[in-house]
């Protein structure tokens, strides 16, 4: 008969409070957060992205809020108040107090124009006496609408097209990629010119031109990531368990594709704004009397030598929007990527 092993009597001795406290201190405690809560926490830690988000929120609120409340009618012409400089009530700094330098002397341009005491324009007026501040708000809204429509097509057509191409593979993938190569071979400028011949120049033709070509880069990036992800163990496990392709796409692929989607989206928006501004600047985009950042730059450069502020304001807004979107894109990439390790 085998010998029995006798345990020491103190083997089942209860732990002392000091031992329990020492054991608890060794435990790794982490807050239980959902994916969105963890992403929001990471985003708030990124100061550059957080500031950019606040700046963009202010720009969006002011641009779209001008539909309800606007200082002046952006298309109202007042020749007697033409080319007035910026004037902000209570600010005595040159450049913001309504004065100009003429013949070596600084004069009050508002008094020369016969403006009343309560008349002021925050960004001044253009060569037709139209309020620049109202026109910048109006033009920013037009540019943002075009950019948001381009983003919508990126997120719907581009992501769907890329996921189907990468998931199916084989002959389906080959055919779908050849279609993308054909679209990429046609320059955007050629597409917009052809559309202008059919439609009149304006926001509709620009939106259609961007919609036809903007989703291609998104589709290629999503397709490349899908090809890599579908060979991962967690995707193979989901397929083994019998989950449908639709469920795998929304539950497993999209969270891991979020980094690529967000980064490309944050580049799509400023690129669309810059594309619209370029077309309007060269005269084949938004037509007068409508305002956009491109038309405002075009109008401002005509008087840039003598009245540079007419070009500075739209250029400044365009630069801030593009810089803010790029910084926010970097922050969102780090926040929403589930593979990011702190």
């Amino acid at each position: 008969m085998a010998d029995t092993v006798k345990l020491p009597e103190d083997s089942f001795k209860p732990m002392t409070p000091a031992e329990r406290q020492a054991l608890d201190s060794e435990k790794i405690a982490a807050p239980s957060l959902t994916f969105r809560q963890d992403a929001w926490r990471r985003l708030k830690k990124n100061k550059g992205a957080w500031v950019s988000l606040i700046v963009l929120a202010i720009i969006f609120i002011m641009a779209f809020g001008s539909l309800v409340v606007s200082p002046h009618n952006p298309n109202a012409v007042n020749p007697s108040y033409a080319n007035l400089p910026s004037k902000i009530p209570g600010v005595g700094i040159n450049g913001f107090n309504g004065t100009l330098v003429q013949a070596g002397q600084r004069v009050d341009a508002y008094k020369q124009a016969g403006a009343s005491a309560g008349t002021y324009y925050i960004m001044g007026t253009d060569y037709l006496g139209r309020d620049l501040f109202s026109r910048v708000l109006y033009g920013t809204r037009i540019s943002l609408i075009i950019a948001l429509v381009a983003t919508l097509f990126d997120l719907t057509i581009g992501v769907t097209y890329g996921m189907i191409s990468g998931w199916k593979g084989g002959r389906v993938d080959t055919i779908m990629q050849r279609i993308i190569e054909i679209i990429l071979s046609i320059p955007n400028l050629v597409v917009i010119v052809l559309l202008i011949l059919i439609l009149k120049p304006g926001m509709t033709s620009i939106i259609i031109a961007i919609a036809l070509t903007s989703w291609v880069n998104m589709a290629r990036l999503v397709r490349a990531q899908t090809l890599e992800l579908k060979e991962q163990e967690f995707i193979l496990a989901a397929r083994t368990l019998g989950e449908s392709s639709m469920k795998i796409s929304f539950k497993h692929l999209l969270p891991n594709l979020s980094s690529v989607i967000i980064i490309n989206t944050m580049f799509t928006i400023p690129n669309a704004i810059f594309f619209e501004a370029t077309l309007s600047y060269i005269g084949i985009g938004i037509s007068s009397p409508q305002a956009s950042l491109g038309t405002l730059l075009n109008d401002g450069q005509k008087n840039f030598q003598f009245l540079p502020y007419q070009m500075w304001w739209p250029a400044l807004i365009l630069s801030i929007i593009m810089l803010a979107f790029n910084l926010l894109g970097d922050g969102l990439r780090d926040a929403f990527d589930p593979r990011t390790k702190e």
Side-chain angles (χ1 to χ4, degrees):
M1 189 174 180
D3 297 336
T4 58
V5 179
K6 191 173 183 181
L7 297 175
E9 295 182 357
D10 58 351
S11 299
F12 303 98
K13 189 176 180 180
M15 297 177 62
T16 63
E19 292 174 340
R20 191 181 301 276
Q21 184 177 2
L23 182 62
D24 291 339
S25 64
E26 295 178 359
K27 293 180 180 179
I28 301 176
S32 179
L33 299 175
T34 64
F35 175 76
R36 292 182 179 180
Q37 290 173 339
D38 185 56
W40 181 251
R41 178 180 59 86
R42 294 184 185 185
L43 181 62
K44 289 192 292 185
K45 287 184 177 181
N46 191 321
K47 301 302 181 183
W50 187 246
V51 172
S52 299
L53 179 61
I54 294 175
V55 171
L56 288 174
I58 294 173
I59 291 175
F60 268 82
I61 291 172
M62 294 183 66
F64 289 95
S66 62
L67 284 167
V68 181
V69 180
S70 181
H72 300 275
N73 185 344
N75 296 323
V77 177
N78 192 350
S80 61
Y81 290 167
N83 296 325
L84 290 179
S86 172
K87 182 178 181 181
I88 302 176
V91 178
I93 303 174
N94 292 335
F96 300 97
N97 57 2
T99 60
L100 285 174
V101 177
Q102 294 181 355
Q105 295 182 350
R106 185 166 293 276
V107 297
D108 191 337
Y110 283 75
K111 285 185 178 180
Q112 286 187 342
S116 59
T119 302
Y120 62 90
Y121 296 95
I122 296 177
M123 293 184 180
T125 60
D126 63 2
Y127 66 101
L128 293 176
R130 295 174 295 191
D131 179 31
L132 272 180
F133 181 55
S134 300
R135 290 183 65 77
V136 166
L137 291 177
Y138 184 89
T140 303
R141 183 171 73 248
I142 295 296
S143 298
L144 289 176
I145 289 174
I146 293 174
L148 292 176
V149 172
T151 304
L152 178 63
F153 281 98
D154 256 22
L155 295 178
T156 53
I157 301 177
V159 174
T160 305
Y161 193 98
M163 289 178 64
I164 294 174
S165 179
W167 184 259
K168 292 293 184 181
R171 182 175 298 178
V172 174
D173 181 38
T174 302
I175 295 173
M176 295 180 74
Q177 292 308 303
R178 297 298 83 76
I179 295 173
I180 285 181
E181 290 175 0
I182 293 173
I183 296 175
L184 282 174
S185 65
I186 305 174
N188 291 346
L189 190 59
V190 174
V191 175
I192 187 65
V193 171
L194 292 175
L195 286 173
I196 289 174
L197 295 176
I198 302 172
L199 306 172
K200 63 179 181 179
M203 189 166 63
T204 303
S205 57
I206 295 177
I207 289 176
I208 295 176
I210 295 176
L212 290 175
T213 57
S214 67
W215 58 271
V216 174
N217 289 330
M218 176 72 81
R220 297 185 70 181
L221 291 172
V222 170
R223 177 248 182 190
Q225 287 295 110
T226 303
L227 287 174
E228 179 183 349
L229 289 172
K230 75 175 185 179
E231 303 298 332
Q232 299 293 326
E233 288 80 4
F234 64 95
I235 298 293
L236 296 176
R239 299 176 70 176
T240 303
L241 293 174
E243 291 189 359
S244 63
S245 299
M246 184 69 69
K247 187 175 181 180
I248 293 174
S249 299
F250 284 98
K251 185 178 179 181
H252 301 289
L253 287 179
L254 277 180
N256 289 277
L257 290 171
S258 61
S259 175
V260 174
I261 294 172
I262 291 170
I263 293 170
N264 197 66
T265 298
M266 291 300 108
F267 281 110
T268 298
I269 295 176
N271 285 342
I273 294 175
F274 192 76
F275 181 61
E276 178 278 323
T278 303
L279 293 177
S280 299
Y281 182 79
I282 62 179
I284 60 175
I286 303 297
S287 56
S288 299
Q290 287 186 322
S292 73
L293 293 178
T295 57
L296 292 173
L297 288 171
N298 187 20
D299 293 340
Q301 62 90 22
K302 297 175 183 177
N303 298 321
F304 183 75
Q305 184 176 359
F306 304 102
L307 302 168
Y309 67 90
Q310 294 184 1
M311 190 175 179
W312 284 346
W313 291 115
L316 179 63
I317 297 298
L318 181 62
S319 301
I320 291 175
I321 290 175
M322 298 189 70
L323 179 62
F325 270 116
N326 285 320
L327 292 176
L328 180 60
D330 290 339
L332 290 175
R333 174 198 60 194
D334 298 334
F336 285 97
D337 189 354
R339 292 170 295 181
T340 300
K341 300 296 183 182
E342 294 185 358

